Amino acid sequence: MPMYNFKKITVVPTSKDMVNIMLSKTQRKTPTVIHKHYKISRIRSFYMRKVKFTQQNIHDRLTLIIQEFPKLENVHPFYADLMNTLYDKDHYKLALGQINQARHLIDNVGKEYVRLLKFGDSLYRCKMLKRAALGRMVTIMKKQAPNLVYLEQVRQHLSRLPTIDPYTRTILLCGFPNVGKSSFLNKITRADVEVHSYAFTTKSLYVGHTDYKYLRWQVIDTPGILDHPLEERNIIEMQAITALAHLRAAILYFIDVSERCGYSIAQQIKLFDNIKPLFSNKPLLVVYNKIDIVPLDQLSEENKKVLSVFEKENVPVLSMSTMTDEGIMEVKQTACDTLLEYRIENKIHAKKIDNILNRLHVAVPQNLDGKERPAFIPESVIQKRQQEFLDDVKRKLEKELEEELGDDYVLDLKKNYDLPEEYKYDIIPEFWEGHNIFDFITPDIFTKLQKLEEEEKLREDAGYYAVPKIERNETLSNIRKMARMIREIKSQRRQTALVEKTSNKPIIPRTTPARARERSTSCLRDTMTNLGVSMEGTEDAHFTKTRGRARSLSVRSKSESRPTKRIKTDIENRSASRSQSRPPRDESGVKNFAMKKKLKNIAHKAIAKKVNKYGLKGEADRFIGVKKPKHLFTGKRGIGKTERR
């Protein structure tokens, strides 16, 4: 069963856009540099490639347009006639035919110039042949400008058409303009069709969908039809005629009994007789609309006599009002049931049903002994069924209760719980103390609860839960007071320890007067004196770790008291920017000169290994090792640019 989705048709560009797209694609996707000193075979293939590429791109684009547009011979007759009505079948076919002819011409131009390029004897000759080929292709495409514009307009209009399935269950609404067809469609479906009080508000086909008996039904609203010959009808009316002629659907013919639409009942019946041939072999219903304005019993005798035609022809007649919603659901259900019966009858008369019937066999038991065996239903079952029937009759629906109570109605879902009245409105927790309540629900929970309550009562009577009385004397109060003091002291000590242990406490400088320094010159002198070491002659000693920048050491020998030659330390050779109290990074922690030199060699080898492997100039460098590779900067160039693609 084919489905028609015209929204997926590719956009048709104008001739100017088509030319720009194709030429720019050729420029981007093929090589662009050629020199006259190349071999002639290379020059020929260069330009032949451009001609072939352009011809193939245009061929593919035009083929896509031709294939995606529907062919009138392959689609359903409904869509074929609808497209003929909207776009003119001859014009549509002519446009596609000319696009197809342009495709063949472009293919021939490509083949012809590729053949000529095989005999090109110079760069200039090949270039001119390529220009001539592309120029002829562009000229052919420019001549198709009107056809491309027309096909784009057709594509846009096709994409806006509603998706109508010609094979599904369909209800078709027809009649004079402004008789209530669109209002009925809005009532029974979720469609939102524009509704106004003037004629021809609906100018095209509209589709809505509704559900009935678990099936999906397609409801089509057609534009209004006027009573005049077929050749005088306009495009809007012809859409309705096309749908009536080709869709297998249940027809609802609407009649405005109030004559507010601007046409009398006699004129509406005359239109019915005029288009009656379109109703043949289709279920038909006549719907009297707007009975809220003029009820059927208040119609004039003349109108009643005119409407009696439907009774003589055995056409089913229904009445409704889209304003008060009276009879709308009855019309919908009757139309669906009528169409369903019609489709089933057609399937029974068709040959397809025979295959299904041949698989079915109804077994009917035969009475061989002549005894009657009536069906036996126990009395208890009969009473139970009667009781259920009475309960169903007595019980009111929530909708009825809501209508009765009005604003006082409150939806109560717990009143139908199968529980005693005292437990119906209890709030049951899902989780309690980390446990799922549902895991502890048992059928005999009330019996167990009663036993537990009895046991608890016996324990209470026996004095199981009695608390011994403690005499409050002075000794007990003193003990409690001391315990409270002990707890307070422990808490204070704990907080003090936390404060002392923390790592972010402020560092107190050595010069602070609030606290005696733990390590000082006086402390060192006292400690050494107590140990028996003589500290005489050290009154002017400073015992500092660092030395000044200009300080020098005087070294005296044990035997001589005179000062020797001044020895310069490494401190004088250091950079002035570095702190004099710290050695360089590569010397810190290493006292042996030989070991220091060995470590420097090891580090140098590690860095060199890294540099050689990755082509780096240094440890943190990123550069190209060879700045001018020989294969790119040597040799002579011919005429032309030095750029490469």
Side-chain angles (χ1 to χ4, degrees):
M1 187 184 299
M3 290 296 292
Y4 305 103
N5 189 0
F6 300 131
K7 295 178 176 62
K8 291 187 177 180
I9 300 175
T10 310
V11 177
V12 181
T14 61
S15 62
K16 187 176 180 181
D17 292 341
M18 178 82 83
V19 169
N20 291 337
I21 291 168
M22 294 301 117
L23 294 183
S24 65
K25 192 173 184 182
T26 303
Q27 185 72 4
R28 285 183 290 110
K29 299 285 187 179
T30 57
T32 56
V33 178
I34 192 74
H35 301 296
K36 66 179 182 179
H37 65 271
Y38 286 173
K39 284 185 178 181
I40 191 64
S41 59
R42 184 175 178 182
I43 295 171
R44 287 172 188 161
S45 62
F46 177 84
Y47 287 110
M48 285 165 62
R49 181 177 178 183
K50 286 188 175 293
V51 173
K52 285 181 182 177
F53 190 83
T54 309
Q55 174 260 324
Q56 190 61 42
N57 278 335
I58 299 176
H59 175 90
D60 293 343
R61 195 60 181 262
L62 297 181
T63 303
L64 187 67
I65 293 171
I66 293 168
Q67 288 179 350
E68 289 196 344
F69 274 89
K71 292 180 175 58
L72 300 183
E73 295 80 10
N74 299 338
V75 297
H76 192 273
F78 163 69
Y79 276 113
D81 277 7
L82 185 63
M83 292 176 70
N84 183 27
T85 301
L86 296 172
Y87 317 122
D88 187 3
K89 177 172 63 177
D90 297 332
H91 193 179
Y92 177 76
K93 285 186 173 181
L94 190 63
L96 287 178
Q98 289 183 351
I99 294 294
N100 190 27
Q101 184 64 25
R103 181 179 62 172
H104 288 307
L105 289 173
I106 287 171
D107 290 347
N108 293 334
V109 167
K111 290 177 184 177
E112 179 183 349
Y113 277 89
V114 166
R115 193 181 304 115
L116 291 173
L117 277 167
K118 290 180 182 178
F119 301 99
D121 55 357
S122 66
L123 175 64
Y124 178 77
R125 185 82 49 100
C126 293
K127 186 175 182 180
M128 290 301 106
L129 287 172
K130 185 266 296 185
R131 287 185 63 182
L134 298 189
R136 284 186 63 182
M137 292 179 191
V138 168
T139 304
I140 294 169
M141 287 308 304
K142 285 182 178 178
K143 289 181 180 178
Q144 300 302 318
N147 296 324
L148 294 173
V149 171
Y150 169 75
L151 288 175
E152 174 60 15
Q153 291 175 354
V154 171
R155 184 200 68 81
Q156 291 178 4
H157 197 276
L158 275 174
S159 65
R160 290 194 292 267
L161 284 179
T163 303
I164 297 174
D165 185 1
Y167 303 99
T168 191
R169 296 164 291 275
T170 307
I171 299 171
L172 200 63
L173 315 179
C174 65
F176 265 98
N178 202 23
V179 294
K181 302 185 293 297
S182 300
S183 301
F184 177 71
L185 179 69
N186 290 342
K187 291 288 184 181
I188 66 170
T189 68
R190 287 181 292 179
D192 187 15
V193 185
E194 190 178 2
V195 176
H196 289 293
S197 58
Y198 50 82
F200 286 109
T201 305
T202 305
K203 297 179 182 178
S204 61
L205 298 175
Y206 285 92
V207 180
H209 293 86
T210 185
D211 293 327
Y212 179 67
K213 288 188 176 179
Y214 303 103
L215 297 172
R216 178 59 58 91
W217 301 77
Q218 181 178 252
V219 186
I220 301 176
D221 178 23
T222 62
I225 307 172
L226 298 179
D227 185 19
H228 46 234
L230 184 65
E231 57 272 7
E232 296 180 10
R233 289 197 167 101
N234 57 19
I235 294 176
I236 297 175
E237 296 175 271
M238 285 304 296
Q239 294 181 56
I241 298 297
T242 303
L244 287 170
H246 293 289
L247 293 177
R248 294 187 300 171
I251 309 296
L252 296 185
Y253 184 80
F254 280 71
I255 293 179
D256 183 4
V257 294
S258 68
E259 300 181 349
R260 291 283 185 92
C261 63
Y263 304 96
S264 64
I265 294 176
Q267 289 176 314
Q268 297 178 56
I269 292 178
K270 188 177 179 183
L271 174 65
F272 177 81
D273 294 334
N274 189 2
I275 62 175
K276 189 187 291 183
L278 299 174
F279 303 152
S280 59
N281 299 324
K282 294 175 186 174
L284 174 65
L285 291 174
V286 175
V287 180
Y288 297 156
N289 194 17
K290 303 184 183 179
I291 59 172
D292 58 312
I293 301 174
V294 179
L296 295 178
D297 53 1
Q298 296 181 12
L299 290 173
S300 62
E301 293 297 328
E302 183 182 354
N303 287 339
K304 286 182 180 179
K305 186 177 179 181
V306 172
L307 292 174
S308 64
V309 176
F310 299 118
E311 296 179 4
K312 296 176 183 178
E313 297 181 1
N314 295 325
V315 178
V317 177
L318 299 170
S319 59
M320 70 170 193
S321 170
T322 54
M323 187 63 67
T324 61
D325 294 348
E326 180 183 351
I328 286 179
M329 296 311 296
E330 183 184 355
V331 171
K332 171 191 167 183
Q333 293 171 6
T334 307
C336 293
D337 290 336
T338 307
L339 180 60
L340 209 56
E341 291 173 7
Y342 172 76
R343 288 168 67 92
I344 292 170
E345 285 178 7
N346 284 349
K347 287 180 181 178
I348 290 173
H349 293 309
K351 293 181 179 180
K352 293 180 182 178
I353 199 68
D354 295 338
N355 295 330
I356 300 172
L357 292 176
N358 290 336
R359 290 183 239 154
L360 301 176
H361 177 70
V362 181
V364 180
Q366 296 180 358
N367 192 352
L368 300 176
D369 54 1
K371 293 181 180 180
E372 293 185 3
R373 293 180 175 83
F376 173 72
I377 301 175
E379 188 67 28
S380 60
V381 176
I382 295 173
Q383 291 178 0
K384 188 176 180 180
R385 287 182 179 177
Q386 291 176 352
Q387 186 63 34
E388 288 177 356
F389 177 74
L390 292 173
D391 292 343
D392 290 341
V393 171
K394 291 178 184 177
R395 187 175 173 183
K396 289 185 179 180
L397 299 175
E398 291 295 326
K399 184 179 180 181
E400 296 173 355
L401 291 173
E402 185 179 2
E403 291 175 354
E404 287 181 8
L405 299 175
D407 295 337
D408 297 333
Y409 172 75
V410 178
L411 179 62
D412 187 6
L413 299 176
K414 294 186 177 181
K415 65 182 179 183
N416 297 323
Y417 283 3
D418 189 13
L419 289 171
E421 289 293 331
E422 54 195 87
Y423 299 128
K424 275 186 181 179
Y425 296 95
D426 287 353
I427 299 173
I428 303 174
E430 292 185 7
F431 290 91
W432 181 67
E433 293 187 357
H435 300 287
N436 192 348
I437 296 295
F438 192 79
D439 295 338
F440 299 94
I441 293 177
T442 55
D444 53 346
I445 189 168
F446 295 109
T447 309
K448 291 182 179 179
L449 178 63
Q450 188 175 359
K451 288 182 180 179
L452 286 173
E453 288 178 350
E454 291 175 358
E455 289 179 7
E456 290 296 317
K457 191 174 181 183
L458 291 173
R459 288 185 179 185
E460 288 177 0
D461 295 343
Y464 182 79
Y465 297 113
V467 180
K469 294 182 180 180
I470 300 174
E471 296 181 359
R472 296 194 175 186
N473 51 14
E474 188 177 353
T475 306
L476 183 62
S477 61
N478 291 336
I479 290 171
R480 288 184 174 178
K481 187 175 180 182
M482 290 175 65
R484 194 180 304 113
M485 291 172 62
I486 290 168
R487 281 195 293 271
E488 289 177 359
I489 292 169
K490 286 177 71 176
S491 175
Q492 290 176 2
R493 287 180 178 178
R494 195 180 298 114
Q495 291 174 4
T496 306
L498 287 174
V499 170
E500 289 179 354
K501 280 184 180 180
T502 183
S503 60
N504 57 358
K505 61 182 180 179
I507 298 171
I508 302 174
R510 289 185 177 184
T511 56
T512 177
R515 182 179 176 186
R517 293 194 317 191
E518 296 176 357
R519 298 175 64 184
S520 62
T521 308
S522 58
C523 290
L524 177 62
R525 189 179 289 107
D526 294 342
T527 304
M528 299 302 287
T529 304
N530 292 335
L531 292 173
V533 179
S534 176
M535 299 297 291
E536 294 179 359
T538 60
E539 287 78 7
D540 297 331
H542 295 290
F543 300 102
T544 56
K545 288 199 299 182
T546 60
R547 301 168 184 172
R549 182 186 302 174
R551 181 183 300 174
S552 62
L553 295 178
S554 297
V555 182
R556 297 175 180 270
S557 62
K558 295 181 180 178
S559 58
E560 299 177 1
S561 61
R562 61 182 181 85
T564 61
K565 189 178 179 181
R566 185 180 177 186
I567 301 173
K568 292 185 178 180
T569 61
D570 292 340
I571 299 173
E572 295 178 351
N573 299 326
R574 292 177 187 167
S575 173
S577 62
R578 190 186 300 118
S579 173
Q580 299 303 316
S581 62
R582 282 187 289 174
R585 285 182 61 190
D586 59 345
E587 296 178 6
S588 61
V590 183
K591 297 182 179 180
N592 191 352
F593 178 76
M595 181 61 69
K596 192 186 304 180
K597 190 174 181 181
K598 184 178 180 181
L599 290 175
K600 277 191 177 182
N601 290 334
I602 292 171
H604 180 71
K605 286 180 181 178
I607 293 170
K609 188 177 180 181
K610 222 181 262 188
V611 168
N612 294 336
K613 184 178 179 181
Y614 299 109
L616 304 178
K617 199 169 187 179
E619 189 176 5
D621 209 355
R622 296 180 68 184
F623 82 114
I624 299 171
V626 183
K627 293 188 177 179
K628 287 191 176 184
K630 189 174 181 181
H631 69 282
L632 289 179
F633 292 92
T634 58
K636 293 183 179 180
R637 290 269 178 188
I639 300 172
K641 296 182 181 177
T642 57
E643 296 176 355
R644 285 174 175 263
R645 287 183 63 81

